[in-house]
Amino acid sequence: MSDEIFAIVGVGLALAAFIWRILTNMEARLVKRIERNEGQLTDVRERVARLEAVFGHVFQREAVEE
């Protein structure tokens, strides 16, 4: 094999390693964001449940008074 072929293969391997490193880093960051968003969604669900309870009592009293 000629030196040019070795250079091409070397560059290909270097690019593959570089892309693999970037993709694993992006995946780790994406997993962190998803976990953070799941936590925030849980907080929102809890707040909505509290609001439903409060407004449920308010509207229930109005229905009884009518």
mmCIF file of all heavy atoms in Angstrom, residues 3-39:
data_model
loop_
_atom_site.group_PDB
_atom_site.id
_atom_site.type_symbol
_atom_site.label_atom_id
_atom_site.label_comp_id
_atom_site.label_asym_id
_atom_site.label_seq_id
_atom_site.Cartn_x
_atom_site.Cartn_y
_atom_site.Cartn_z
ATOM 1 N N ASP A 3 1.764 5.339 0.616
ATOM 2 C CA ASP A 3 1.655 6.270 1.737
ATOM 3 C C ASP A 3 0.353 7.060 1.701
ATOM 4 O O ASP A 3 -0.211 7.398 2.745
ATOM 5 C CB ASP A 3 2.841 7.239 1.735
ATOM 6 C CG ASP A 3 4.149 6.534 2.052
ATOM 7 O OD1 ASP A 3 4.089 5.445 2.668
ATOM 8 O OD2 ASP A 3 5.212 7.064 1.678
ATOM 9 N N GLU A 4 -0.154 7.347 0.510
ATOM 10 C CA GLU A 4 -1.409 8.090 0.394
ATOM 11 C C GLU A 4 -2.582 7.302 0.961
ATOM 12 O O GLU A 4 -3.457 7.853 1.625
ATOM 13 C CB GLU A 4 -1.690 8.460 -1.070
ATOM 14 C CG GLU A 4 -0.737 9.477 -1.664
ATOM 15 C CD GLU A 4 0.522 8.832 -2.212
ATOM 16 O OE1 GLU A 4 0.568 7.589 -2.313
ATOM 17 O OE2 GLU A 4 1.465 9.578 -2.536
ATOM 18 N N ILE A 5 -2.601 6.010 0.706
ATOM 19 C CA ILE A 5 -3.672 5.154 1.232
ATOM 20 C C ILE A 5 -3.613 5.153 2.758
ATOM 21 O O ILE A 5 -4.649 5.261 3.437
ATOM 22 C CB ILE A 5 -3.539 3.715 0.684
ATOM 23 C CG1 ILE A 5 -3.647 3.701 -0.837
ATOM 24 C CG2 ILE A 5 -4.569 2.806 1.326
ATOM 25 C CD1 ILE A 5 -5.034 3.968 -1.368
ATOM 26 N N PHE A 6 -2.421 5.018 3.323
ATOM 27 C CA PHE A 6 -2.277 5.054 4.784
ATOM 28 C C PHE A 6 -2.754 6.391 5.348
ATOM 29 O O PHE A 6 -3.405 6.446 6.396
ATOM 30 C CB PHE A 6 -0.822 4.806 5.197
ATOM 31 C CG PHE A 6 -0.403 3.377 5.081
ATOM 32 C CD1 PHE A 6 0.733 3.042 4.349
ATOM 33 C CD2 PHE A 6 -1.121 2.363 5.688
ATOM 34 C CE1 PHE A 6 1.138 1.724 4.242
ATOM 35 C CE2 PHE A 6 -0.726 1.045 5.579
ATOM 36 C CZ PHE A 6 0.409 0.719 4.852
ATOM 37 N N ALA A 7 -2.460 7.474 4.675
ATOM 38 C CA ALA A 7 -2.889 8.801 5.118
ATOM 39 C C ALA A 7 -4.411 8.907 5.088
ATOM 40 O O ALA A 7 -5.024 9.433 6.021
ATOM 41 C CB ALA A 7 -2.255 9.884 4.250
ATOM 42 N N ILE A 8 -5.023 8.398 4.018
ATOM 43 C CA ILE A 8 -6.484 8.446 3.898
ATOM 44 C C ILE A 8 -7.133 7.624 5.009
ATOM 45 O O ILE A 8 -8.089 8.060 5.644
ATOM 46 C CB ILE A 8 -6.924 7.972 2.500
ATOM 47 C CG1 ILE A 8 -6.508 8.994 1.451
ATOM 48 C CG2 ILE A 8 -8.429 7.728 2.448
ATOM 49 C CD1 ILE A 8 -6.686 8.530 0.022
ATOM 50 N N VAL A 9 -6.614 6.426 5.252
ATOM 51 C CA VAL A 9 -7.158 5.580 6.310
ATOM 52 C C VAL A 9 -6.960 6.242 7.668
ATOM 53 O O VAL A 9 -7.859 6.240 8.527
ATOM 54 C CB VAL A 9 -6.506 4.172 6.277
ATOM 55 C CG1 VAL A 9 -6.882 3.364 7.502
ATOM 56 C CG2 VAL A 9 -6.910 3.443 5.005
ATOM 57 N N GLY A 10 -5.803 6.846 7.881
ATOM 58 C CA GLY A 10 -5.531 7.535 9.140
ATOM 59 C C GLY A 10 -6.484 8.700 9.376
ATOM 60 O O GLY A 10 -7.003 8.882 10.470
ATOM 61 N N VAL A 11 -6.717 9.485 8.351
ATOM 62 C CA VAL A 11 -7.649 10.609 8.460
ATOM 63 C C VAL A 11 -9.064 10.094 8.717
ATOM 64 O O VAL A 11 -9.806 10.647 9.525
ATOM 65 C CB VAL A 11 -7.593 11.491 7.195
ATOM 66 C CG1 VAL A 11 -8.743 12.488 7.169
ATOM 67 C CG2 VAL A 11 -6.261 12.211 7.124
ATOM 68 N N GLY A 12 -9.437 9.014 8.037
ATOM 69 C CA GLY A 12 -10.765 8.426 8.258
ATOM 70 C C GLY A 12 -10.938 7.958 9.694
ATOM 71 O O GLY A 12 -11.969 8.200 10.317
ATOM 72 N N LEU A 13 -9.930 7.301 10.242
ATOM 73 C CA LEU A 13 -9.996 6.848 11.633
ATOM 74 C C LEU A 13 -10.042 8.030 12.599
ATOM 75 O O LEU A 13 -10.792 8.007 13.589
ATOM 76 C CB LEU A 13 -8.811 5.940 11.958
ATOM 77 C CG LEU A 13 -8.818 4.568 11.297
ATOM 78 C CD1 LEU A 13 -7.518 3.827 11.593
ATOM 79 C CD2 LEU A 13 -10.015 3.765 11.784
ATOM 80 N N ALA A 14 -9.264 9.057 12.312
ATOM 81 C CA ALA A 14 -9.273 10.247 13.171
ATOM 82 C C ALA A 14 -10.639 10.919 13.146
ATOM 83 O O ALA A 14 -11.159 11.333 14.187
ATOM 84 C CB ALA A 14 -8.177 11.216 12.736
ATOM 85 N N LEU A 15 -11.236 11.027 11.968
ATOM 86 C CA LEU A 15 -12.576 11.620 11.869
ATOM 87 C C LEU A 15 -13.615 10.774 12.592
ATOM 88 O O LEU A 15 -14.506 11.301 13.266
ATOM 89 C CB LEU A 15 -12.968 11.798 10.402
ATOM 90 C CG LEU A 15 -12.354 12.996 9.689
ATOM 91 C CD1 LEU A 15 -12.697 12.944 8.205
ATOM 92 C CD2 LEU A 15 -12.849 14.287 10.301
ATOM 93 N N ALA A 16 -13.522 9.465 12.449
ATOM 94 C CA ALA A 16 -14.470 8.583 13.133
ATOM 95 C C ALA A 16 -14.358 8.734 14.645
ATOM 96 O O ALA A 16 -15.371 8.812 15.354
ATOM 97 C CB ALA A 16 -14.223 7.133 12.716
ATOM 98 N N ALA A 17 -13.142 8.794 15.160
ATOM 99 C CA ALA A 17 -12.945 8.972 16.604
ATOM 100 C C ALA A 17 -13.473 10.329 17.060
ATOM 101 O O ALA A 17 -14.113 10.441 18.113
ATOM 102 C CB ALA A 17 -11.461 8.829 16.946
ATOM 103 N N PHE A 18 -13.223 11.363 16.268
ATOM 104 C CA PHE A 18 -13.689 12.702 16.613
ATOM 105 C C PHE A 18 -15.217 12.771 16.647
ATOM 106 O O PHE A 18 -15.813 13.295 17.589
ATOM 107 C CB PHE A 18 -13.130 13.705 15.599
ATOM 108 C CG PHE A 18 -13.583 15.108 15.820
ATOM 109 C CD1 PHE A 18 -13.109 15.849 16.879
ATOM 110 C CD2 PHE A 18 -14.493 15.693 14.953
ATOM 111 C CE1 PHE A 18 -13.527 17.156 17.089
ATOM 112 C CE2 PHE A 18 -14.918 16.996 15.147
ATOM 113 C CZ PHE A 18 -14.431 17.729 16.218
ATOM 114 N N ILE A 19 -15.852 12.217 15.629
ATOM 115 C CA ILE A 19 -17.317 12.226 15.565
ATOM 116 C C ILE A 19 -17.903 11.395 16.698
ATOM 117 O O ILE A 19 -18.892 11.788 17.327
ATOM 118 C CB ILE A 19 -17.793 11.730 14.184
ATOM 119 C CG1 ILE A 19 -17.432 12.766 13.125
ATOM 120 C CG2 ILE A 19 -19.286 11.443 14.174
ATOM 121 C CD1 ILE A 19 -17.642 12.313 11.699
ATOM 122 N N TRP A 20 -17.310 10.242 16.996
ATOM 123 C CA TRP A 20 -17.794 9.405 18.099
ATOM 124 C C TRP A 20 -17.707 10.157 19.421
ATOM 125 O O TRP A 20 -18.636 10.120 20.227
ATOM 126 C CB TRP A 20 -16.975 8.119 18.167
ATOM 127 C CG TRP A 20 -17.357 7.243 19.310
ATOM 128 C CD1 TRP A 20 -18.450 6.438 19.399
ATOM 129 C CD2 TRP A 20 -16.648 7.083 20.536
ATOM 130 N NE1 TRP A 20 -18.463 5.789 20.608
ATOM 131 C CE2 TRP A 20 -17.370 6.170 21.325
ATOM 132 C CE3 TRP A 20 -15.469 7.637 21.038
ATOM 133 C CZ2 TRP A 20 -16.951 5.800 22.588
ATOM 134 C CZ3 TRP A 20 -15.054 7.257 22.298
ATOM 135 C CH2 TRP A 20 -15.796 6.353 23.064
ATOM 136 N N ARG A 21 -16.615 10.865 19.637
ATOM 137 C CA ARG A 21 -16.441 11.639 20.879
ATOM 138 C C ARG A 21 -17.491 12.735 20.990
ATOM 139 O O ARG A 21 -18.071 12.953 22.042
ATOM 140 C CB ARG A 21 -15.036 12.246 20.896
ATOM 141 C CG ARG A 21 -14.769 13.190 22.019
ATOM 142 C CD ARG A 21 -13.815 12.590 23.006
ATOM 143 N NE ARG A 21 -13.296 13.612 23.892
ATOM 144 C CZ ARG A 21 -13.677 13.713 25.140
ATOM 145 N NH1 ARG A 21 -14.526 12.863 25.638
ATOM 146 N NH2 ARG A 21 -13.180 14.647 25.914
ATOM 147 N N ILE A 22 -17.749 13.429 19.909
ATOM 148 C CA ILE A 22 -18.744 14.505 19.918
ATOM 149 C C ILE A 22 -20.142 13.939 20.167
ATOM 150 O O ILE A 22 -20.919 14.491 20.939
ATOM 151 C CB ILE A 22 -18.689 15.291 18.597
ATOM 152 C CG1 ILE A 22 -17.423 16.092 18.577
ATOM 153 C CG2 ILE A 22 -19.915 16.138 18.405
ATOM 154 C CD1 ILE A 22 -17.377 17.266 17.687
ATOM 155 N N LEU A 23 -20.473 12.827 19.527
ATOM 156 C CA LEU A 23 -21.805 12.242 19.696
ATOM 157 C C LEU A 23 -22.028 11.753 21.122
ATOM 158 O O LEU A 23 -23.121 11.922 21.672
ATOM 159 C CB LEU A 23 -22.021 11.111 18.693
ATOM 160 C CG LEU A 23 -22.198 11.544 17.243
ATOM 161 C CD1 LEU A 23 -22.347 10.319 16.346
ATOM 162 C CD2 LEU A 23 -23.389 12.453 17.092
ATOM 163 N N THR A 24 -21.019 11.153 21.744
ATOM 164 C CA THR A 24 -21.189 10.695 23.126
ATOM 165 C C THR A 24 -21.346 11.878 24.065
ATOM 166 O O THR A 24 -22.140 11.826 25.012
ATOM 167 C CB THR A 24 -20.015 9.808 23.574
ATOM 168 O OG1 THR A 24 -18.794 10.509 23.401
ATOM 169 C CG2 THR A 24 -19.988 8.505 22.813
ATOM 170 N N ASN A 25 -20.637 12.971 23.805
ATOM 171 C CA ASN A 25 -20.768 14.168 24.619
ATOM 172 C C ASN A 25 -22.166 14.769 24.465
ATOM 173 O O ASN A 25 -22.797 15.160 25.450
ATOM 174 C CB ASN A 25 -19.698 15.195 24.231
ATOM 175 C CG ASN A 25 -19.700 16.396 25.135
ATOM 176 O OD1 ASN A 25 -20.143 16.330 26.277
ATOM 177 N ND2 ASN A 25 -19.198 17.505 24.630
ATOM 178 N N MET A 26 -22.649 14.824 23.230
ATOM 179 C CA MET A 26 -23.986 15.362 22.987
ATOM 180 C C MET A 26 -25.050 14.491 23.641
ATOM 181 O O MET A 26 -26.035 15.000 24.188
ATOM 182 C CB MET A 26 -24.245 15.474 21.485
ATOM 183 C CG MET A 26 -23.471 16.583 20.822
ATOM 184 S SD MET A 26 -23.676 16.628 19.026
ATOM 185 C CE MET A 26 -25.420 16.835 18.859
ATOM 186 N N GLU A 27 -24.866 13.173 23.600
ATOM 187 C CA GLU A 27 -25.829 12.270 24.225
ATOM 188 C C GLU A 27 -25.873 12.487 25.733
ATOM 189 O O GLU A 27 -26.952 12.525 26.332
ATOM 190 C CB GLU A 27 -25.462 10.820 23.915
ATOM 191 C CG GLU A 27 -26.439 9.825 24.501
ATOM 192 C CD GLU A 27 -26.009 8.385 24.257
ATOM 193 O OE1 GLU A 27 -24.880 8.158 23.800
ATOM 194 O OE2 GLU A 27 -26.826 7.500 24.544
ATOM 195 N N ALA A 28 -24.725 12.652 26.365
ATOM 196 C CA ALA A 28 -24.682 12.878 27.810
ATOM 197 C C ALA A 28 -25.390 14.183 28.167
ATOM 198 O O ALA A 28 -26.149 14.242 29.149
ATOM 199 C CB ALA A 28 -23.238 12.901 28.288
ATOM 200 N N ARG A 29 -25.157 15.230 27.372
ATOM 201 C CA ARG A 29 -25.823 16.502 27.639
ATOM 202 C C ARG A 29 -27.333 16.381 27.439
ATOM 203 O O ARG A 29 -28.117 16.947 28.213
ATOM 204 C CB ARG A 29 -25.261 17.581 26.721
ATOM 205 C CG ARG A 29 -23.864 18.004 27.117
ATOM 206 C CD ARG A 29 -23.234 19.017 26.201
ATOM 207 N NE ARG A 29 -24.150 19.919 25.548
ATOM 208 C CZ ARG A 29 -23.911 20.496 24.375
ATOM 209 N NH1 ARG A 29 -22.784 20.246 23.751
ATOM 210 N NH2 ARG A 29 -24.778 21.314 23.847
ATOM 211 N N LEU A 30 -27.746 15.629 26.435
ATOM 212 C CA LEU A 30 -29.172 15.445 26.179
ATOM 213 C C LEU A 30 -29.841 14.686 27.318
ATOM 214 O O LEU A 30 -30.947 15.034 27.740
ATOM 215 C CB LEU A 30 -29.363 14.704 24.853
ATOM 216 C CG LEU A 30 -30.796 14.483 24.395
ATOM 217 C CD1 LEU A 30 -31.489 15.819 24.179
ATOM 218 C CD2 LEU A 30 -30.801 13.684 23.109
ATOM 219 N N VAL A 31 -29.180 13.669 27.835
ATOM 220 C CA VAL A 31 -29.728 12.906 28.951
ATOM 221 C C VAL A 31 -29.901 13.806 30.174
ATOM 222 O O VAL A 31 -30.924 13.749 30.860
ATOM 223 C CB VAL A 31 -28.833 11.683 29.280
ATOM 224 C CG1 VAL A 31 -29.199 11.065 30.601
ATOM 225 C CG2 VAL A 31 -28.928 10.658 28.161
ATOM 226 N N LYS A 32 -28.922 14.661 30.443
ATOM 227 C CA LYS A 32 -29.034 15.592 31.576
ATOM 228 C C LYS A 32 -30.213 16.539 31.399
ATOM 229 O O LYS A 32 -30.957 16.806 32.345
ATOM 230 C CB LYS A 32 -27.743 16.404 31.725
ATOM 231 C CG LYS A 32 -26.595 15.617 32.276
ATOM 232 C CD LYS A 32 -25.350 16.475 32.385
ATOM 233 C CE LYS A 32 -24.146 15.667 32.800
ATOM 234 N NZ LYS A 32 -22.913 16.481 32.832
ATOM 235 N N ARG A 33 -30.390 17.054 30.182
ATOM 236 C CA ARG A 33 -31.514 17.964 29.931
ATOM 237 C C ARG A 33 -32.850 17.257 30.103
ATOM 238 O O ARG A 33 -33.804 17.810 30.657
ATOM 239 C CB ARG A 33 -31.428 18.538 28.519
ATOM 240 C CG ARG A 33 -30.398 19.589 28.359
ATOM 241 C CD ARG A 33 -30.431 20.167 26.963
ATOM 242 N NE ARG A 33 -29.399 21.162 26.804
ATOM 243 C CZ ARG A 33 -29.204 21.834 25.684
ATOM 244 N NH1 ARG A 33 -29.962 21.610 24.637
ATOM 245 N NH2 ARG A 33 -28.245 22.730 25.608
ATOM 246 N N ILE A 34 -32.946 16.028 29.620
ATOM 247 C CA ILE A 34 -34.197 15.278 29.745
ATOM 248 C C ILE A 34 -34.519 15.033 31.210
ATOM 249 O O ILE A 34 -35.659 15.201 31.646
ATOM 250 C CB ILE A 34 -34.112 13.951 28.957
ATOM 251 C CG1 ILE A 34 -34.129 14.238 27.457
ATOM 252 C CG2 ILE A 34 -35.245 13.010 29.346
ATOM 253 C CD1 ILE A 34 -33.845 13.031 26.592
ATOM 254 N N GLU A 35 -33.511 14.652 32.003
ATOM 255 C CA GLU A 35 -33.741 14.418 33.426
ATOM 256 C C GLU A 35 -34.177 15.700 34.120
ATOM 257 O O GLU A 35 -35.069 15.688 34.971
ATOM 258 C CB GLU A 35 -32.485 13.847 34.067
ATOM 259 C CG GLU A 35 -32.192 12.418 33.642
ATOM 260 C CD GLU A 35 -30.841 11.918 34.127
ATOM 261 O OE1 GLU A 35 -30.057 12.723 34.685
ATOM 262 O OE2 GLU A 35 -30.575 10.717 33.946
ATOM 263 N N ARG A 36 -33.544 16.821 33.768
ATOM 264 C CA ARG A 36 -33.923 18.099 34.377
ATOM 265 C C ARG A 36 -35.360 18.464 34.004
ATOM 266 O O ARG A 36 -36.145 18.899 34.845
ATOM 267 C CB ARG A 36 -32.958 19.189 33.933
ATOM 268 C CG ARG A 36 -33.206 20.521 34.617
ATOM 269 C CD ARG A 36 -32.207 21.587 34.225
ATOM 270 N NE ARG A 36 -32.336 21.879 32.799
ATOM 271 C CZ ARG A 36 -31.322 21.903 31.948
ATOM 272 N NH1 ARG A 36 -30.104 21.662 32.358
ATOM 273 N NH2 ARG A 36 -31.517 22.197 30.679
ATOM 274 N N ASN A 37 -35.727 18.255 32.738
ATOM 275 C CA ASN A 37 -37.082 18.580 32.292
ATOM 276 C C ASN A 37 -38.120 17.672 32.945
ATOM 277 O O ASN A 37 -39.232 18.112 33.241
ATOM 278 C CB ASN A 37 -37.183 18.496 30.773
ATOM 279 C CG ASN A 37 -36.481 19.654 30.097
ATOM 280 O OD1 ASN A 37 -36.232 20.683 30.701
ATOM 281 N ND2 ASN A 37 -36.151 19.471 28.838
ATOM 282 N N GLU A 38 -37.780 16.410 33.177
ATOM 283 C CA GLU A 38 -38.704 15.513 33.863
ATOM 284 C C GLU A 38 -38.970 16.006 35.277
ATOM 285 O O GLU A 38 -40.104 15.966 35.760
ATOM 286 C CB GLU A 38 -38.144 14.095 33.887
ATOM 287 C CG GLU A 38 -38.211 13.384 32.554
ATOM 288 C CD GLU A 38 -37.548 12.023 32.568
ATOM 289 O OE1 GLU A 38 -36.824 11.709 33.540
ATOM 290 O OE2 GLU A 38 -37.739 11.270 31.604
ATOM 291 N N GLY A 39 -37.930 16.482 35.952
ATOM 292 C CA GLY A 39 -38.099 17.032 37.296
ATOM 293 C C GLY A 39 -38.975 18.270 37.282
ATOM 294 O O GLY A 39 -39.848 18.441 38.144
#
